[in-house]
Amino acid sequence: MAPDATAKRERAGSDNTSKRGEVLFELPIGAKGKVVTTRPKPNVYLITFASGPDNRLTSPFCQALLLALDIIETRYDPGVVITTSGIEKFYSNGLDLEHASFTPGFFPDSLYALWRRLLTYPMPTIALLNGHAFAGALMLAMMHDYRMMNPHKGYLCLNEVELGVPLRPPMTSVFRQKVSPQTYRKLVLEAARYKALEAFKEGIVDWLGGLDDALTYVDELKLVQKAGKGMSGKQVYGDLKREMWRETVGYLENFGAEDGRDFTTQARRLQERHAAEGKVTAWEMKAKL
Amino acid sequence: MAPDATVKRERAGSDNTSKRGEVLFELPIGAKGKVVTTRPKPNVYLITFASGPDNRLTSPFCQALLLALDIIETRYEPGVVITTSGIEKFYSNGLDLEHASFTPGFFPNSLYALWRRLLTYPMPTIALLNGHAFAGALMLAMMHDYRMMNPHKGYLCLNEVELGVPLRPPMTSVFRQKVSPQTYRKLVLEAARYKALEAFKEGIVDWLGGLDDALTYVDELKLVQKAGKGMSGKQVYGDLKREMWRETVGYLENFGAEDGRDFTIQARRLQERHVAEGKVKAWEMKAKL
């Protein structure tokens, strides 16, 4: 490894004491951001994204990650993918709501495409949470197979109830499928802010530590081998995940159905509200007699 | 508060040491029962139902609760709804099976309507279990967001397997969505009778205590604020719940589909039994050769 490359890696974000490995390729995110893919050990691919100030999940961000995942799958040996942030304070601060609302095709072509790709990726995936992961960023982390969190840094939170923003079907579905009902309720309805230890105790994250710890778990769980061919000669890791999480995959593949369902739900709610008003008015009139 | 009103409240049912608050309105249940809605603190609504001897979930009972929920939503400020029983021994003893079988439209218009309303209610809901909650009553409690149970009184139980009565889709679905698979199996297939501490440990209830404790949790979790508008100006609490529990909401909204499904299942079971008989006979005949 060239001395320059080592210095450059140690400057970026957290985990300076671990060896990120040789740089395999870099991709731009917009004008100033960057996705760097390195190989810290054989068949383990570390994707470090940095799009200041806080790694919002914009179209360019999602497209860069999608391309990185495609390059790894088609040009490198099957193994394990770890994603992390090159910005020390944040894994990501979630969606840019304005960008999401006004970019045509953002949900189906960028956000849901990235989430779907991770959820069904034919290699084990680990989200290495070096810092905060809020809302859409926590959802991104949940689309991975495993989550490792810095024990001393960062909060996890779904704050839609405080923002007054509804959650779309795949956004709730992934939690419904991957955490306990009690944790699910706490996340969605209480907007609980989880520090690392709590998140670990409740199973939102699987391990506490950094890159070195993640690499150790990769060995302990033989995760590289899981991406390989089974005794039948077939590689089934991605297929297994697609079937395991079929409900969430279904929502991620059917963005078009959301609008129709929203419309029906809205109509039903208006009708229910109208009926409620009618019943209450009738009761009030009877009370006056 | 008028001295008369205070005396009247302390006579009713359990939790005599807590202040139930001013009476907002009362609704009859049939000829002798009553739903009383009080306000123990600002923006917290306590619905106390009493329909002797054991609060069966009849049409009049369900309709009275539905009207109370409508009045609170349309005539009072967003806050928290707590439901409890004015009959000390029972939260409720569940359905009146004869009434349920012979009352036209009972399921879609009364029982499922009440359950659906609670499950998607645009304010946090707490079932304050002062005593026993069996079968349909436990389901009613599960339709709330949270469950508080008297630590020393009452059992929770689903005894359909002992009664030889099947469970309809939303009845199992709410447990499947809100408790662990192991607890779900224990409830449905073992008809386990849970005392309060066990129910708490397994997550069927969230807290042990009475009204005062419930009011404390309301403050700790800032539940009143959760019912209000978010930063977007929209109130999304009910929408979040509708999406979270969409499977159960779907069953509660589609009572008509149950009959068709039942018919198909019956036909399939007969066919499977017929095939099994045929296979076994063939095996017996081969064994004789």
Side-chain angles (χ1 to χ4, degrees):
Chain A
M1 289 181 292
D4 278 356
T6 313
K8 194 161 147 193
R9 275 193 300 283
E10 288 191 22
R11 246 191 290 135
S14 56
D15 245 325
N16 288 334
T17 53
S18 62
K19 299 188 174 60
R20 289 163 177 269
E22 56 165 317
V23 176
L24 301 180
F25 58 88
E26 290 188 20
L27 304 168
I29 302 175
K32 293 192 269 182
K34 191 158 73 165
V35 171
V36 181
T37 304
T38 60
R39 184 164 47 198
K41 60 196 291 181
N43 300 78
V44 179
Y45 310 100
L46 176 65
I47 299 178
T48 305
F49 43 76
S51 177
D54 51 8
N55 286 328
R56 294 288 174 139
L57 309 182
T58 59
S59 276
F61 183 95
C62 297
Q63 294 300 330
L65 272 186
L66 277 163
L67 183 55
L69 291 166
D70 287 344
I71 294 169
I72 291 168
E73 188 192 355
T74 58
R75 296 291 183 266
Y76 292 92
D77 291 339
V80 173
V81 166
I82 304 174
T83 73
T84 196
S85 164
I87 296 171
E88 197 181 319
K89 195 174 166 195
F90 290 95
Y91 181 74
S92 159
N93 211 0
L95 298 188
D96 175 332
L97 288 178
E98 202 179 319
H99 175 93
S101 306
F102 294 111
T103 303
F106 170 74
F107 282 96
D109 303 336
S110 287
L111 190 69
Y112 285 14
L114 173 61
W115 286 354
R116 191 169 68 236
R117 183 62 159 137
L118 278 165
L119 194 57
T120 61
Y121 200 66
M123 303 183 199
T125 55
I126 302 173
L128 179 47
L129 305 173
N130 52 288
H132 299 307
F134 296 141
L138 180 53
M139 296 164 202
L140 176 68
M142 294 307 297
M143 298 297 168
H144 294 63
D145 300 322
Y146 301 94
R147 283 148 291 288
M148 165 74 84
M149 188 167 179
N150 183 325
H152 307 297
K153 229 184 177 107
Y155 283 96
L156 308 178
C157 171
L158 293 179
N159 58 350
E160 279 75 5
V161 68
E162 293 173 344
L163 294 176
V165 173
L167 284 165
R168 292 170 178 262
M171 297 175 173
T172 43
S173 175
V174 71
F175 291 97
R176 191 163 59 238
Q177 296 205 284
K178 292 198 177 191
V179 299
S180 76
Q182 291 79 6
T183 298
Y184 178 42
R185 177 185 60 194
K186 204 163 150 181
L187 279 163
V188 178
L189 295 184
E190 297 176 21
R193 296 165 78 79
Y194 279 89
K195 290 175 90 164
L197 190 60
E198 285 179 84
F200 170 72
K201 285 182 183 174
E202 290 198 30
I204 303 170
V205 305
D206 304 293
W207 313 303
L208 299 175
L211 179 59
D212 287 339
D213 302 292
L215 295 175
T216 307
Y217 282 116
V218 166
D219 285 343
E220 278 182 22
L221 296 175
K222 298 183 167 38
L223 291 185
V224 167
Q225 290 84 321
K226 299 295 184 290
K229 290 183 165 54
M231 283 159 44
S232 70
K234 282 180 66 178
Q235 196 264 46
V236 294
Y237 199 80
D239 296 327
L240 289 170
K241 285 158 62 171
R242 179 177 274 279
E243 188 54 45
M244 285 175 79
W245 314 124
R246 59 183 287 164
E247 188 186 349
T248 305
V249 173
Y251 297 135
L252 290 170
E253 286 178 341
N254 287 296
F255 174 73
E258 280 185 27
D259 281 346
R261 188 166 176 277
D262 278 352
F263 183 76
T264 309
T265 301
Q266 290 281 21
R268 180 166 286 163
R269 275 171 68 236
L270 279 171
Q271 191 187 27
E272 285 174 356
R273 179 72 189 222
H274 186 75
E277 279 284 352
K279 283 171 67 178
V280 173
T281 305
W283 167 75
E284 284 172 332
M285 285 172 63
K286 262 213 282 188
K288 287 181 187 154
L289 298 171
Chain B
M1 289 180 292
D4 278 357
T6 314
V7 169
K8 193 161 145 193
R9 274 194 299 284
E10 288 194 22
R11 247 191 290 134
S14 56
D15 244 325
N16 287 333
T17 53
S18 60
K19 297 185 175 63
R20 288 163 176 268
E22 57 163 316
V23 176
L24 301 180
F25 58 88
E26 291 188 17
L27 304 169
I29 302 174
K32 294 193 269 182
K34 193 158 70 166
V35 170
V36 181
T37 304
T38 60
R39 183 165 48 199
K41 60 196 290 181
N43 300 77
V44 180
Y45 310 100
L46 177 65
I47 300 178
T48 305
F49 44 76
S51 177
D54 51 9
N55 286 328
R56 294 289 173 138
L57 308 183
T58 59
S59 276
F61 183 95
C62 296
Q63 293 299 332
L65 271 187
L66 277 163
L67 182 55
L69 292 166
D70 285 345
I71 295 169
I72 292 168
E73 188 192 357
T74 59
R75 297 290 183 265
Y76 292 91
E77 286 170 17
V80 174
V81 166
I82 305 175
T83 73
T84 197
S85 163
I87 296 170
E88 197 181 320
K89 195 175 167 198
F90 289 96
Y91 181 73
S92 160
N93 212 1
L95 298 188
D96 175 331
L97 289 177
E98 201 180 317
H99 175 91
S101 306
F102 294 112
T103 304
F106 170 75
F107 282 96
N109 303 334
S110 286
L111 190 68
Y112 285 14
L114 173 61
W115 286 355
R116 189 170 70 237
R117 183 64 160 134
L118 277 164
L119 193 59
T120 62
Y121 200 67
M123 302 184 201
T125 54
I126 303 173
L128 178 48
L129 305 173
N130 53 287
H132 299 305
F134 295 142
L138 181 53
M139 298 164 202
L140 176 68
M142 294 309 295
M143 298 297 167
H144 293 63
D145 299 326
Y146 301 93
R147 283 148 291 289
M148 165 73 83
M149 189 166 177
N150 183 326
H152 308 296
K153 227 183 178 104
Y155 284 96
L156 307 180
C157 170
L158 293 181
N159 59 348
E160 279 75 4
V161 67
E162 293 172 347
L163 293 175
V165 173
L167 285 164
R168 290 168 180 263
M171 297 175 174
T172 41
S173 173
V174 71
F175 291 97
R176 189 165 60 242
Q177 298 207 285
K178 291 200 179 192
V179 299
S180 77
Q182 292 77 9
T183 298
Y184 180 40
R185 177 185 61 194
K186 203 163 150 180
L187 279 163
V188 176
L189 295 185
E190 297 175 23
R193 295 166 77 79
Y194 279 90
K195 290 176 90 163
L197 190 60
E198 284 179 85
F200 170 72
K201 285 180 182 173
E202 291 199 30
I204 302 170
V205 306
D206 304 294
W207 313 304
L208 299 175
L211 179 59
D212 287 340
D213 302 293
L215 296 175
T216 306
Y217 283 114
V218 166
D219 285 342
E220 277 182 23
L221 296 175
K222 298 184 170 33
L223 292 184
V224 167
Q225 288 85 322
K226 299 294 187 293
K229 291 179 163 56
M231 282 158 48
S232 70
K234 280 180 67 177
Q235 196 263 47
V236 294
Y237 197 81
D239 296 329
L240 288 172
K241 286 158 62 171
R242 180 179 276 276
E243 187 56 44
M244 286 175 80
W245 313 123
R246 62 184 284 164
E247 185 186 350
T248 306
V249 172
Y251 295 133
L252 290 169
E253 286 178 344
N254 287 297
F255 173 74
E258 278 185 30
D259 282 344
R261 188 169 175 273
D262 279 351
F263 183 77
T264 308
I265 289 172
Q266 291 281 21
R268 182 168 291 166
R269 275 170 69 231
L270 279 170
Q271 191 188 24
E272 284 174 355
R273 180 69 188 230
H274 184 73
V275 167
E277 283 283 356
K279 285 168 67 178
V280 172
K281 280 206 174 66
W283 166 76
E284 284 174 336
M285 285 172 62
K286 260 213 283 187
K288 287 181 187 155
L289 297 173

PDB file of all heavy atoms in Angstrom, chain B residues 139-150:
ATOM      1  N   MET B 139     -58.278  -9.359  23.360  1.00  0.00           N
ATOM      2  CA  MET B 139     -58.112  -8.797  22.014  1.00  0.00           C
ATOM      3  C   MET B 139     -58.395  -7.290  22.019  1.00  0.00           C
ATOM      4  O   MET B 139     -57.667  -6.506  21.428  1.00  0.00           O
ATOM      5  CB  MET B 139     -59.047  -9.507  21.031  1.00  0.00           C
ATOM      6  CG  MET B 139     -58.768 -10.983  20.888  1.00  0.00           C
ATOM      7  SD  MET B 139     -60.178 -11.829  20.105  1.00  0.00           S
ATOM      8  CE  MET B 139     -59.875 -13.535  20.663  1.00  0.00           C
ATOM      9  N   LEU B 140     -59.451  -6.914  22.704  1.00  0.00           N
ATOM     10  CA  LEU B 140     -59.768  -5.483  22.825  1.00  0.00           C
ATOM     11  C   LEU B 140     -58.589  -4.730  23.433  1.00  0.00           C
ATOM     12  O   LEU B 140     -58.191  -3.659  22.961  1.00  0.00           O
ATOM     13  CB  LEU B 140     -61.016  -5.305  23.698  1.00  0.00           C
ATOM     14  CG  LEU B 140     -61.439  -3.873  24.017  1.00  0.00           C
ATOM     15  CD1 LEU B 140     -61.937  -3.143  22.777  1.00  0.00           C
ATOM     16  CD2 LEU B 140     -62.525  -3.861  25.089  1.00  0.00           C
ATOM     17  N   ALA B 141     -58.007  -5.297  24.478  1.00  0.00           N
ATOM     18  CA  ALA B 141     -56.846  -4.662  25.117  1.00  0.00           C
ATOM     19  C   ALA B 141     -55.670  -4.567  24.145  1.00  0.00           C
ATOM     20  O   ALA B 141     -54.950  -3.563  24.131  1.00  0.00           O
ATOM     21  CB  ALA B 141     -56.443  -5.449  26.360  1.00  0.00           C
ATOM     22  N   MET B 142     -55.469  -5.588  23.327  1.00  0.00           N
ATOM     23  CA  MET B 142     -54.355  -5.575  22.362  1.00  0.00           C
ATOM     24  C   MET B 142     -54.549  -4.513  21.284  1.00  0.00           C
ATOM     25  O   MET B 142     -53.584  -4.066  20.679  1.00  0.00           O
ATOM     26  CB  MET B 142     -54.204  -6.939  21.683  1.00  0.00           C
ATOM     27  CG  MET B 142     -53.784  -8.073  22.572  1.00  0.00           C
ATOM     28  SD  MET B 142     -52.308  -7.745  23.573  1.00  0.00           S
ATOM     29  CE  MET B 142     -51.058  -7.564  22.299  1.00  0.00           C
ATOM     30  N   MET B 143     -55.786  -4.116  21.036  1.00  0.00           N
ATOM     31  CA  MET B 143     -56.039  -3.095  20.027  1.00  0.00           C
ATOM     32  C   MET B 143     -55.608  -1.711  20.513  1.00  0.00           C
ATOM     33  O   MET B 143     -55.464  -0.778  19.720  1.00  0.00           O
ATOM     34  CB  MET B 143     -57.522  -3.064  19.630  1.00  0.00           C
ATOM     35  CG  MET B 143     -58.044  -4.347  19.005  1.00  0.00           C
ATOM     36  SD  MET B 143     -57.223  -4.741  17.424  1.00  0.00           S
ATOM     37  CE  MET B 143     -57.782  -6.457  17.201  1.00  0.00           C
ATOM     38  N   HIS B 144     -55.369  -1.582  21.810  1.00  0.00           N
ATOM     39  CA  HIS B 144     -54.838  -0.339  22.357  1.00  0.00           C
ATOM     40  C   HIS B 144     -53.329  -0.268  22.076  1.00  0.00           C
ATOM     41  O   HIS B 144     -52.691  -1.264  21.767  1.00  0.00           O
ATOM     42  CB  HIS B 144     -55.041  -0.274  23.870  1.00  0.00           C
ATOM     43  CG  HIS B 144     -56.464  -0.168  24.309  1.00  0.00           C
ATOM     44  ND1 HIS B 144     -57.410  -1.142  24.067  1.00  0.00           N
ATOM     45  CD2 HIS B 144     -57.117   0.805  25.008  1.00  0.00           C
ATOM     46  CE1 HIS B 144     -58.572  -0.786  24.596  1.00  0.00           C
ATOM     47  NE2 HIS B 144     -58.438   0.383  25.167  1.00  0.00           N
ATOM     48  N   ASP B 145     -52.748   0.930  22.230  1.00  0.00           N
ATOM     49  CA  ASP B 145     -51.300   1.053  22.035  1.00  0.00           C
ATOM     50  C   ASP B 145     -50.520   0.471  23.200  1.00  0.00           C
ATOM     51  O   ASP B 145     -49.458  -0.112  23.019  1.00  0.00           O
ATOM     52  CB  ASP B 145     -50.922   2.530  21.866  1.00  0.00           C
ATOM     53  CG  ASP B 145     -51.603   3.150  20.658  1.00  0.00           C
ATOM     54  OD1 ASP B 145     -51.800   2.437  19.655  1.00  0.00           O
ATOM     55  OD2 ASP B 145     -51.952   4.342  20.723  1.00  0.00           O
ATOM     56  N   TYR B 146     -51.023   0.655  24.410  1.00  0.00           N
ATOM     57  CA  TYR B 146     -50.320   0.206  25.612  1.00  0.00           C
ATOM     58  C   TYR B 146     -51.292  -0.504  26.549  1.00  0.00           C
ATOM     59  O   TYR B 146     -52.497  -0.257  26.517  1.00  0.00           O
ATOM     60  CB  TYR B 146     -49.723   1.417  26.370  1.00  0.00           C
ATOM     61  CG  TYR B 146     -48.740   2.231  25.567  1.00  0.00           C
ATOM     62  CD1 TYR B 146     -49.165   3.344  24.852  1.00  0.00           C
ATOM     63  CD2 TYR B 146     -47.389   1.884  25.509  1.00  0.00           C
ATOM     64  CE1 TYR B 146     -48.278   4.093  24.093  1.00  0.00           C
ATOM     65  CE2 TYR B 146     -46.495   2.632  24.768  1.00  0.00           C
ATOM     66  CZ  TYR B 146     -46.940   3.729  24.060  1.00  0.00           C
ATOM     67  OH  TYR B 146     -46.048   4.463  23.315  1.00  0.00           O
ATOM     68  N   ARG B 147     -50.735  -1.376  27.404  1.00  0.00           N
ATOM     69  CA  ARG B 147     -51.542  -2.084  28.385  1.00  0.00           C
ATOM     70  C   ARG B 147     -50.887  -1.926  29.754  1.00  0.00           C
ATOM     71  O   ARG B 147     -49.689  -2.208  29.924  1.00  0.00           O
ATOM     72  CB  ARG B 147     -51.662  -3.577  28.015  1.00  0.00           C
ATOM     73  CG  ARG B 147     -52.662  -3.823  26.890  1.00  0.00           C
ATOM     74  CD  ARG B 147     -52.285  -5.014  26.016  1.00  0.00           C
ATOM     75  NE  ARG B 147     -51.093  -4.735  25.213  1.00  0.00           N
ATOM     76  CZ  ARG B 147     -51.066  -3.902  24.178  1.00  0.00           C
ATOM     77  NH1 ARG B 147     -52.157  -3.266  23.785  1.00  0.00           N
ATOM     78  NH2 ARG B 147     -49.935  -3.702  23.525  1.00  0.00           N
ATOM     79  N   MET B 148     -51.676  -1.457  30.716  1.00  0.00           N
ATOM     80  CA  MET B 148     -51.253  -1.359  32.112  1.00  0.00           C
ATOM     81  C   MET B 148     -52.078  -2.386  32.870  1.00  0.00           C
ATOM     82  O   MET B 148     -53.291  -2.465  32.672  1.00  0.00           O
ATOM     83  CB  MET B 148     -51.562   0.056  32.639  1.00  0.00           C
ATOM     84  CG  MET B 148     -51.517   0.203  34.143  1.00  0.00           C
ATOM     85  SD  MET B 148     -49.826   0.171  34.780  1.00  0.00           S
ATOM     86  CE  MET B 148     -49.367   1.900  34.526  1.00  0.00           C
ATOM     87  N   MET B 149     -51.441  -3.182  33.720  1.00  0.00           N
ATOM     88  CA  MET B 149     -52.218  -4.194  34.445  1.00  0.00           C
ATOM     89  C   MET B 149     -52.022  -4.073  35.946  1.00  0.00           C
ATOM     90  O   MET B 149     -50.912  -3.785  36.415  1.00  0.00           O
ATOM     91  CB  MET B 149     -51.821  -5.604  33.991  1.00  0.00           C
ATOM     92  CG  MET B 149     -52.722  -6.708  34.531  1.00  0.00           C
ATOM     93  SD  MET B 149     -52.448  -8.250  33.638  1.00  0.00           S
ATOM     94  CE  MET B 149     -53.550  -9.349  34.552  1.00  0.00           C
ATOM     95  N   ASN B 150     -53.094  -4.306  36.659  1.00  0.00           N
ATOM     96  CA  ASN B 150     -53.053  -4.403  38.107  1.00  0.00           C
ATOM     97  C   ASN B 150     -52.124  -5.562  38.473  1.00  0.00           C
ATOM     98  O   ASN B 150     -52.371  -6.694  38.054  1.00  0.00           O
ATOM     99  CB  ASN B 150     -54.476  -4.668  38.607  1.00  0.00           C
ATOM    100  CG  ASN B 150     -54.564  -4.711  40.118  1.00  0.00           C
ATOM    101  OD1 ASN B 150     -53.640  -5.157  40.795  1.00  0.00           O
ATOM    102  ND2 ASN B 150     -55.683  -4.257  40.645  1.00  0.00           N
TER     103      ASN B 150
END
